[in-house]
Short mmCIF file of all heavy atoms in Angstrom, two decimals:
data_model
loop_
_atom_site.label_atom_id
_atom_site.label_comp_id
_atom_site.label_asym_id
_atom_site.label_seq_id
_atom_site.Cartn_x
_atom_site.Cartn_y
_atom_site.Cartn_z
N SER A 9 -215.02 -157.59 -37.09
CA SER A 9 -216.12 -157.23 -37.95
C SER A 9 -217.37 -157.96 -37.52
O SER A 9 -218.49 -157.42 -37.52
CB SER A 9 -215.79 -157.54 -39.40
OG SER A 9 -215.57 -158.94 -39.57
N ALA A 19 -228.24 -153.22 -31.39
CA ALA A 19 -228.69 -151.85 -31.33
C ALA A 19 -229.92 -151.62 -32.19
O ALA A 19 -230.81 -150.88 -31.81
CB ALA A 19 -227.56 -150.92 -31.77
N PHE A 26 -229.96 -148.71 -25.77
CA PHE A 26 -228.60 -148.21 -25.90
C PHE A 26 -228.57 -146.70 -25.72
O PHE A 26 -227.64 -146.19 -25.09
CB PHE A 26 -228.07 -148.60 -27.30
CG PHE A 26 -227.60 -150.01 -27.39
CD1 PHE A 26 -228.48 -151.03 -27.66
CD2 PHE A 26 -226.27 -150.31 -27.16
CE1 PHE A 26 -228.04 -152.34 -27.74
CE2 PHE A 26 -225.81 -151.62 -27.25
CZ PHE A 26 -226.70 -152.66 -27.52
N HIS A 52 -219.97 -121.21 -16.99
CA HIS A 52 -220.54 -121.30 -18.34
C HIS A 52 -220.54 -122.78 -18.78
O HIS A 52 -219.57 -123.48 -18.58
CB HIS A 52 -219.75 -120.47 -19.31
CG HIS A 52 -220.50 -120.09 -20.56
ND1 HIS A 52 -220.75 -120.99 -21.53
CD2 HIS A 52 -221.10 -118.94 -20.95
CE1 HIS A 52 -221.43 -120.44 -22.53
NE2 HIS A 52 -221.64 -119.15 -22.18
N TYR A 60 -214.89 -131.57 -20.71
CA TYR A 60 -215.38 -132.96 -20.73
C TYR A 60 -214.94 -133.67 -22.01
O TYR A 60 -214.48 -134.82 -21.97
CB TYR A 60 -216.92 -132.95 -20.62
CG TYR A 60 -217.55 -134.30 -20.91
CD1 TYR A 60 -217.55 -135.31 -19.94
CD2 TYR A 60 -218.17 -134.55 -22.13
CE1 TYR A 60 -218.12 -136.53 -20.21
CE2 TYR A 60 -218.74 -135.77 -22.40
CZ TYR A 60 -218.73 -136.77 -21.45
OH TYR A 60 -219.30 -137.98 -21.69
N ILE A 61 -215.07 -133.02 -23.15
CA ILE A 61 -214.74 -133.70 -24.42
C ILE A 61 -213.24 -133.77 -24.66
O ILE A 61 -212.78 -134.43 -25.61
CB ILE A 61 -215.42 -132.98 -25.62
CG1 ILE A 61 -214.91 -131.57 -25.75
CG2 ILE A 61 -216.91 -133.05 -25.51
CD1 ILE A 61 -215.47 -130.82 -26.96
N MET A 69 -222.15 -136.67 -27.44
CA MET A 69 -223.52 -136.24 -27.23
C MET A 69 -224.46 -136.78 -28.35
O MET A 69 -225.66 -136.93 -28.16
CB MET A 69 -223.61 -134.74 -27.16
CG MET A 69 -225.01 -134.20 -26.86
SD MET A 69 -225.08 -132.43 -26.63
CE MET A 69 -224.30 -132.27 -25.05
N PHE A 80 -229.47 -130.14 -23.23
CA PHE A 80 -228.98 -130.84 -22.01
C PHE A 80 -228.96 -129.92 -20.80
O PHE A 80 -229.34 -130.32 -19.70
CB PHE A 80 -227.59 -131.41 -22.29
CG PHE A 80 -226.97 -132.08 -21.12
CD1 PHE A 80 -227.54 -133.23 -20.56
CD2 PHE A 80 -225.82 -131.62 -20.54
CE1 PHE A 80 -226.98 -133.84 -19.46
CE2 PHE A 80 -225.23 -132.22 -19.47
CZ PHE A 80 -225.81 -133.36 -18.91
N ASP A 93 -229.28 -120.59 -15.74
CA ASP A 93 -229.84 -119.31 -16.11
C ASP A 93 -229.22 -118.86 -17.44
O ASP A 93 -228.03 -119.16 -17.72
CB ASP A 93 -229.59 -118.26 -15.03
CG ASP A 93 -228.13 -118.04 -14.75
OD1 ASP A 93 -227.46 -118.99 -14.32
OD2 ASP A 93 -227.64 -116.92 -14.99
N GLU A 94 -230.00 -118.20 -18.26
CA GLU A 94 -229.56 -117.74 -19.57
C GLU A 94 -229.19 -116.29 -19.52
O GLU A 94 -229.89 -115.45 -18.92
CB GLU A 94 -230.68 -117.95 -20.63
CG GLU A 94 -230.25 -117.65 -22.02
CD GLU A 94 -231.35 -117.86 -23.03
OE1 GLU A 94 -232.51 -118.04 -22.58
OE2 GLU A 94 -231.07 -117.85 -24.24
N LEU A 156 -236.13 -59.14 38.01
CA LEU A 156 -235.13 -58.07 38.01
C LEU A 156 -235.76 -56.80 38.56
O LEU A 156 -236.65 -56.21 37.94
CB LEU A 156 -234.59 -57.82 36.59
CG LEU A 156 -233.49 -56.83 36.45
CD1 LEU A 156 -232.23 -57.24 37.23
CD2 LEU A 156 -233.12 -56.59 34.99
N LYS A 212 -216.08 -86.88 36.84
CA LYS A 212 -217.01 -88.02 36.94
C LYS A 212 -217.79 -88.21 35.64
O LYS A 212 -217.96 -89.32 35.17
CB LYS A 212 -217.94 -87.85 38.12
CG LYS A 212 -217.26 -87.99 39.46
CD LYS A 212 -218.27 -87.82 40.60
CE LYS A 212 -217.64 -87.98 41.96
NZ LYS A 212 -218.60 -87.79 43.04
N ASP A 221 -218.38 -95.01 25.93
CA ASP A 221 -217.75 -95.00 24.63
C ASP A 221 -216.94 -96.27 24.37
O ASP A 221 -216.94 -96.81 23.25
CB ASP A 221 -216.81 -93.79 24.48
CG ASP A 221 -217.58 -92.48 24.40
OD1 ASP A 221 -218.78 -92.57 24.07
OD2 ASP A 221 -216.98 -91.41 24.62
N ILE A 223 -217.61 -99.26 25.56
CA ILE A 223 -218.57 -100.35 25.23
C ILE A 223 -219.05 -100.23 23.79
O ILE A 223 -219.12 -101.22 23.07
CB ILE A 223 -219.78 -100.30 26.20
CG1 ILE A 223 -219.33 -100.61 27.65
CG2 ILE A 223 -220.84 -101.29 25.79
CD1 ILE A 223 -220.42 -100.45 28.67
N VAL A 249 -213.61 -135.29 4.48
CA VAL A 249 -214.80 -135.97 5.02
C VAL A 249 -215.72 -136.52 3.92
O VAL A 249 -216.62 -137.26 4.22
CB VAL A 249 -215.61 -134.99 5.90
CG1 VAL A 249 -214.80 -134.59 7.12
CG2 VAL A 249 -216.02 -133.73 5.11
N LYS A 260 -208.75 -139.03 5.81
CA LYS A 260 -207.30 -138.83 5.85
C LYS A 260 -207.00 -137.31 5.99
O LYS A 260 -207.80 -136.47 5.61
CB LYS A 260 -206.65 -139.34 4.57
CG LYS A 260 -206.84 -140.87 4.38
CD LYS A 260 -206.16 -141.65 5.47
CE LYS A 260 -206.41 -143.16 5.35
NZ LYS A 260 -205.84 -143.70 4.14
N ILE A 278 -200.93 -135.96 3.63
CA ILE A 278 -199.78 -136.13 4.49
C ILE A 278 -199.13 -137.49 4.29
O ILE A 278 -197.91 -137.64 4.28
CB ILE A 278 -200.19 -135.95 5.95
CG1 ILE A 278 -200.61 -134.48 6.21
CG2 ILE A 278 -199.08 -136.33 6.92
CD1 ILE A 278 -201.08 -134.22 7.61
N SER A 280 -199.57 -139.83 1.52
CA SER A 280 -199.14 -140.17 0.15
C SER A 280 -198.49 -139.05 -0.61
O SER A 280 -197.81 -139.29 -1.62
CB SER A 280 -200.35 -140.68 -0.64
OG SER A 280 -201.33 -139.64 -0.78
N THR A 289 -216.56 -127.58 1.78
CA THR A 289 -217.60 -128.42 2.35
C THR A 289 -217.17 -129.85 2.45
O THR A 289 -217.78 -130.67 3.16
CB THR A 289 -218.87 -128.33 1.48
OG1 THR A 289 -218.56 -128.67 0.14
CG2 THR A 289 -219.44 -126.94 1.53
N LYS A 300 -200.27 -127.67 21.52
CA LYS A 300 -199.89 -127.54 20.11
C LYS A 300 -200.40 -126.22 19.55
O LYS A 300 -201.35 -125.61 20.09
CB LYS A 300 -200.44 -128.71 19.30
CG LYS A 300 -199.92 -130.06 19.70
CD LYS A 300 -198.44 -130.21 19.46
CE LYS A 300 -197.97 -131.61 19.80
NZ LYS A 300 -196.55 -131.79 19.57
N ILE A 328 -207.88 -121.22 24.07
CA ILE A 328 -206.56 -121.01 23.46
C ILE A 328 -205.93 -119.72 24.03
O ILE A 328 -206.63 -118.89 24.62
CB ILE A 328 -206.65 -120.90 21.96
CG1 ILE A 328 -207.41 -119.64 21.50
CG2 ILE A 328 -207.28 -122.15 21.34
CD1 ILE A 328 -207.34 -119.37 20.03
N ARG A 338 -203.40 -113.03 25.14
CA ARG A 338 -204.82 -113.01 25.56
C ARG A 338 -205.36 -114.42 25.56
O ARG A 338 -205.10 -115.21 24.69
CB ARG A 338 -205.63 -112.15 24.62
CG ARG A 338 -207.14 -112.15 24.91
CD ARG A 338 -207.87 -111.11 24.11
NE ARG A 338 -207.48 -109.75 24.46
CZ ARG A 338 -208.07 -108.67 23.99
NH1 ARG A 338 -209.08 -108.78 23.14
NH2 ARG A 338 -207.64 -107.48 24.35
#
Side-chain angles (χ1 to χ4, degrees):
S9 62
F26 281 85
H52 200 286
Y60 169 77
I61 62 177
M69 184 176 286
F80 177 63
D93 61 297
E94 186 179 12
L156 184 62
K212 289 180 180 179
D221 289 341
I223 295 174
V249 295
K260 298 297 178 63
I278 294 178
S280 63
T289 56
K300 299 294 184 180
I328 67 170
R338 177 171 295 186

